[in-house]
Amino acid sequence: MIVDRLLAAARERLVMIASDAPLTAAAALLRDLDKDIVVVHDPEGRLAGIITKTDIVRQISRCQGAACMTAASAVMTQAVVFCRPSDLLREVWIVMKERHLKNIPILDQQSRPLGVLNARDALEALLEELQYEEVLLREYVTCVGYH
């Protein structure tokens, strides 16, 4: 199974902001309980980094006066783990598990964000695939459908 299969759900999770936008705008986007990351894009729409709720809290905890109006680019994580629609979901899941990532951006070939892959969605899809393979194997072994 490839990541593309989950692209519709990933598009719904995608929240983007320009790199020069104020951090308060990113915080406003993260207010929703189901939103965990904001994808930061450059002027051409390519991935520049990500901002998590943890990044917001860290910045605001030391914020005073004008520092509270920090640009998103000053706080974002630039070394972002991402995947492509053609990547194998199993391999992406392994990376997410090893690095303890709850979400990762899905990018096109020009590094433009297409969506955000959530670990729960990936795991559910992998479990469905495994259950389907188990049914096929059981039917093969019991000769269901063979004459």
Side-chain angles (χ1 to χ4, degrees):
M1 174 182 315
I2 59 173
V3 172
D4 188 59
R5 180 169 178 239
L6 300 176
L7 201 50
R11 280 192 174 109
E12 291 178 22
R13 294 186 190 282
L14 180 61
V15 178
M16 295 192 346
I17 194 168
S19 57
D20 61 350
L23 188 59
T24 53
L29 292 170
L30 289 171
R31 272 193 301 228
D32 293 339
L33 293 177
D34 64 332
K35 303 297 182 209
D36 296 311
I37 70 171
V38 172
V39 175
V40 182
H41 66 83
D42 66 12
E44 288 78 38
R46 294 185 304 256
L47 175 74
I50 62 167
I51 296 176
T52 65
K53 290 178 180 181
T54 304
D55 296 327
I56 303 276
V57 170
R58 186 180 308 116
Q59 180 65 25
I60 290 180
S61 69
R62 53 188 157 165
C63 158
Q64 294 179 351
C68 294
M69 294 308 294
T70 302
S73 60
V75 178
M76 70 185 184
T77 301
Q78 292 179 334
V80 178
V81 175
F82 63 89
C83 65
R84 307 263 187 215
S86 59
D87 290 345
L88 291 175
L89 186 58
R90 193 172 309 226
E91 291 175 8
V92 173
W93 167 249
I94 290 169
V95 171
M96 292 177 80
K97 184 178 167 194
E98 288 173 351
R99 297 183 115 192
H100 306 286
L101 300 173
K102 188 176 176 182
N103 298 283
I104 64 171
I106 303 170
L107 306 180
D108 67 11
Q109 294 304 320
Q110 291 77 37
S111 295
R112 289 185 175 89
L114 298 173
V116 173
L117 179 63
N118 180 273
R120 181 179 299 138
D121 294 342
L123 186 56
E124 286 177 2
L126 289 169
L127 286 173
E128 285 176 18
E129 181 181 48
L130 185 61
Q131 290 169 345
Y132 179 69
E133 288 175 2
E134 183 180 326
V135 167
L136 290 178
L137 183 59
R138 187 176 313 120
E139 288 177 356
Y140 175 76
V141 169
T142 59
C143 299
V144 171
Y146 290 88
H147 301 289

